[in-house]
Each structure stands twice: as structure tokens, then as C-alpha cells.
Amino acid sequence: MLPAKVKNLWRLLHGRRLMDFTSLTRKAYYSRLVLGIETSCDDTGAAVLDETGTILGESLYSQNEVHLRTGGIIPTVAQQLHRESIEVVVHEALERSGVTPSQLSAVATTVKPGLALSLGIGLAFSQKFVRKHNILFIPIHHMEAHALTIRMLQPVPFPFLVLLVSGGHSLLAVARGIDDFLLLGHMLDEAPGDTLDKVARRLSLTKHPDCSTLSGGQAIELLARSGDRRKFPFRTPMGRIYDCCFSFAGLRSQITMSILKKEAEEGIEQGTLLSCVNDIAAGTQHTVAVHLAKRTHRAILFCKENGLLPSDNPILVMSGGVASNQYICKALTVITEKTGLRLLCPPPRFCTDNGVMIAWNGIERLKEGKGILSPSEDVCYEPKAPLGVDISAKVRAAGIRLPPVRMKIRS
């Protein structure tokens, strides 16, 4: 049994915590200004938004140039760059917004999924910040934020189909609410953005005069515009597997074998630009686009068969870094026009990782009162975190075969 004095002290402290949380929630309801912080991979982003989605202030530090020099993202390097830049990035976003920490309703921060060392920097900074200024904290799922960004830009009612494609992820899901997703398909090995980056590195595209400062995906897209994809007709992955999951590792093996063959034919060593580099880029981009389009086509048919999307004006949202690739967008447009859906993509600046999408997800959660924590609560980051309820096995069991579609895409 606890002594009476200890019991009374516990009640007093517990009551005070409840009162503090209630007062913070009441303040958040009326002001609804959210600071979003993003450090899930290699971009340090921060932004302040109001409840209408107006960006009051934003700052973004990209590590792209550093990782181009090192030939890929090294987690410890990314961690150190986040550590060096996060305070400056947050300060800039607040200063540009004209909002002081005391005026904020909450801080929303990416806590899953992503690189563990990168997530840790953002979470540690955020928890210190909210405790110092006594502000509510909203943990954010990175992929949920990507999926909902479009709702900041225009009215998009639930439910809708979403294709999320980036350097670390590839998935298809039905968004039924701000924290309610049905996962139709996911990546089995590597993400499309990762494949494009690795092919670009194998082709040594940083040595190309037009590509020295571009990411791998950007370099592939640029060179593909003047290439002939028919010279490298790579086989589309998973043609006989009737689900909505993605695989790109086998495609990359095909591409690597073609590069080795061409290097032998031209008598050059790895690290020297091939004369047919534009054609390989075009073939690579086209096959990635077709694979994404076919899996999305099956997802649409599954949703229609199971009544998962509205019959009136159904929507497909494509988001994530790879969604900024215009050729891939055109490939998805072929499918949406065939199936009667409307394709929506955020502008390229909102497709890549940024603090704006995290702040907006915080705004949406604040409005619905979901996932809001007191500043004193402890939170752990999660490098691996699935999105929603996985029904990919049900999709596979349906065994939907696709009708033929002519993928005529102009660069």
C-alpha cells in the first residue's frame, strides 16, 4: 500500500499533466500552426503551415551533391549532415514564417520508416524542442505524408488509390482516411528510384557533361529523351505473377549484362561512357514505367471488382520522388485514361522529401485529433514500418489478368 501523502502527490501530478495536455490541445485547436520536420533519408527539411495548407515558411537542405561524390548514400555521412544542418533549417523555416515557437500548435516529425541514423537526428531534435517550448508532438509515417500531400493542394476526398514510388519505397494502397490504408502491393527487393540511381552509377553518368550535378534518376530521364528505347528492349519484370507487388532487381541484372556486353563490343572499361548511353537510359526508363503501369492497372481492376473506389470520379494519386519523372507520369496516364480514373501528381518540389508534407500531415491529424502526444511522452523511431493493412495476398489470390494495352509514350 502507498502512503496517503504519496497517493495524493501522484493524483496531483497526474491531474496537472492532464490539465497541461488539455490546455495544449485547446491552444492547438484554435491556432493550428504546425512545424514539420523531415530527416528520414538524405534531405533535412522544415516548414511551418497553417490549417489551410498555406506555407508560411520553409527551408530545405539537400545532401545530393555530397552523396553524388561518394557514389551513394552512406548512413553515417547522412546522419552527420543532418546533425550539422537541422538547427539551421528549423530556425530558417521559423524565421521565414514569422512564427515563434510559442505560437506553434504542434511539431510534426517523421519517425518511420527510413534510415535509422537519419530518423534519430530528427526525432531527438524534435523531442528536445517540444519539451523546451511545451508544444504538442505528432509522430508522422513518412509514406502517409507522401500519400496525403495532394490534399494540401486540392480537395481530394477519401477513398482514393495511391502509388508511392521513390528511392526507398514502391507500393500501391487505397487511402481510406488519414491513418487508414489498405496495402495492395509493395516492393519485393529494391525501389525504382534506387534502380535508376544504380544504373546511372554503373553508366558513370556523373562524367557526362549534362549530368554531373544531377541525381541518377534525373540523369536517366534527361538522356532518355534523346535515346531509342527499342534498341534495348528489356523484359518487364513479373509478367507471369498476377499481383500488385514490384521487383526491380532482376531488371537491373538485365541492364548490367547489356552494359557489360556493350563495353566489350566498344573495347572500353567500366567508368568510361558508352556511345549508346542514351539508348540504355531510354530502355531502362521505359521498362520501369511499364512495370509500374501494369501493376497499377491490376490494382485499379481489383479495386473496381471489390468496390474500394467510388464509381463517380475515382482518383489515382502518384507521389514520391520518382513521381517527378514525366515519362513515368505519362505511362500512368495511359492506364488511367483506359480505366476511367483521374491521375493527380503533386508538383515535383512536393514529390521529393520535404518538411511541407510532414507539416501538412500534422495539420490533418490535428484537425481529427489523431496521434497527438504531450511533449513529455517518449517516442521511438522505426526504420521499417508497413503502411496500413496488408491485403496483397488477397490481390494475388484474385489472379487478375490484364487486358492488352498499347503503351505508346512520348518522351
Side-chain angles (χ1 to χ4, degrees), residues 263-325:
E263 284 174 342
E265 287 177 6
E266 296 187 13
I268 62 173
E269 295 182 354
Q270 180 176 338
T272 304
L273 286 171
L274 285 165
S275 63
C276 57
V277 69
N278 294 40
D279 300 329
I280 295 175
T284 299
Q285 178 177 255
H286 179 76
T287 311
V288 168
V290 170
H291 185 39
L292 292 172
K294 286 185 174 182
R295 310 319 267 187
T296 303
H297 191 179
R298 182 171 288 110
I300 292 170
L301 297 180
F302 179 84
C303 288
K304 287 188 172 187
E305 286 183 7
N306 291 274
L308 297 178
L309 295 176
S311 56
D312 182 34
N313 193 30
I315 290 171
L316 168 66
V317 171
M318 182 165 69
S319 192
V322 176
S324 60
N325 182 299

Side-chain angles (χ1 to χ4, degrees), residues 174-222:
V174 177
R176 303 192 297 182
I178 64 167
D179 61 350
D180 183 5
F181 292 82
L182 293 178
L183 184 64
L184 306 178
H186 52 84
M187 67 180 188
L188 300 177
D189 36 58
E190 63 188 43
D194 188 30
T195 298
L196 293 172
D197 286 343
K198 286 175 178 175
V199 171
R201 282 202 295 275
R202 182 60 183 83
L203 290 169
S204 303
L205 295 190
T206 53
K207 295 182 180 179
H208 194 288
D210 297 329
C211 303
S212 60
T213 61
L214 300 180
S215 69
Q218 290 170 333
I220 293 287
E221 183 176 12
L222 176 66

Side-chain angles (χ1 to χ4, degrees), residues 88-334:
V88 173
V89 167
V90 170
H91 175 76
E92 284 180 353
L94 287 168
E95 189 173 52
R96 290 167 183 171
S97 71
V99 173
T100 63
S102 63
Q103 293 174 301
L104 291 169
S105 311
V107 172
T109 301
T110 305
V111 300
K112 59 184 176 182
L115 298 177
L117 296 178
S118 295
L119 289 169
I121 296 297
L123 179 57
F125 177 90
S126 299
Q127 291 201 302
K128 183 179 178 181
F129 186 93
V130 297
R131 288 167 183 171
K132 178 181 178 180
H133 299 289
N134 198 30
I135 306 168
L136 295 172
F137 183 60
I138 307 176
I140 300 296
H141 192 297
H142 184 75
M143 303 314 291
E144 286 182 7
H146 270 305
L148 301 181
T149 300
I150 194 70
R151 284 167 51 87
M152 179 187 76
L153 304 168
Q154 57 186 291
V156 180
F158 296 112
F160 57 88
L161 181 62
V162 59
L163 170 65
L164 300 180
V165 277
S166 67
H169 305 278
S170 184
L171 61 86
L172 279 158
V174 177
R176 303 192 297 182
I178 64 167
D179 61 350
D180 183 5
F181 292 82
L182 293 178
L183 184 64
L184 306 178
H186 52 84
M187 67 180 188
L188 300 177
D189 36 58
E190 63 188 43
D194 188 30
T195 298
L196 293 172
D197 286 343
K198 286 175 178 175
V199 171
R201 282 202 295 275
R202 182 60 183 83
L203 290 169
S204 303
L205 295 190
T206 53
K207 295 182 180 179
H208 194 288
D210 297 329
C211 303
S212 60
T213 61
L214 300 180
S215 69
Q218 290 170 333
I220 293 287
E221 183 176 12
L222 176 66
L223 296 183
R225 289 172 190 161
S226 55
D228 184 353
R229 64 175 177 80
R230 291 168 296 185
K231 291 184 178 180
F232 289 91
F234 300 118
R235 187 174 64 258
T236 305
M238 303 179 71
R240 296 181 180 179
I241 300 175
Y242 307 118
D243 64 13
C244 294
C245 292
F246 303 91
S247 173
F248 292 95
L251 171 60
R252 187 160 58 84
S253 295
Q254 288 184 64
I255 297 165
T256 300
M257 293 301 293
S258 294
I259 293 171
L260 286 168
K261 181 180 177 181
K262 284 297 175 181
E263 284 174 342
E265 287 177 6
E266 296 187 13
I268 62 173
E269 295 182 354
Q270 180 176 338
T272 304
L273 286 171
L274 285 165
S275 63
C276 57
V277 69
N278 294 40
D279 300 329
I280 295 175
T284 299
Q285 178 177 255
H286 179 76
T287 311
V288 168
V290 170
H291 185 39
L292 292 172
K294 286 185 174 182
R295 310 319 267 187
T296 303
H297 191 179
R298 182 171 288 110
I300 292 170
L301 297 180
F302 179 84
C303 288
K304 287 188 172 187
E305 286 183 7
N306 291 274
L308 297 178
L309 295 176
S311 56
D312 182 34
N313 193 30
I315 290 171
L316 168 66
V317 171
M318 182 165 69
S319 192
V322 176
S324 60
N325 182 299
Q326 294 306 298
Y327 188 89
I328 291 174
C329 285
K330 290 175 183 177
L332 268 295
T333 301
V334 172

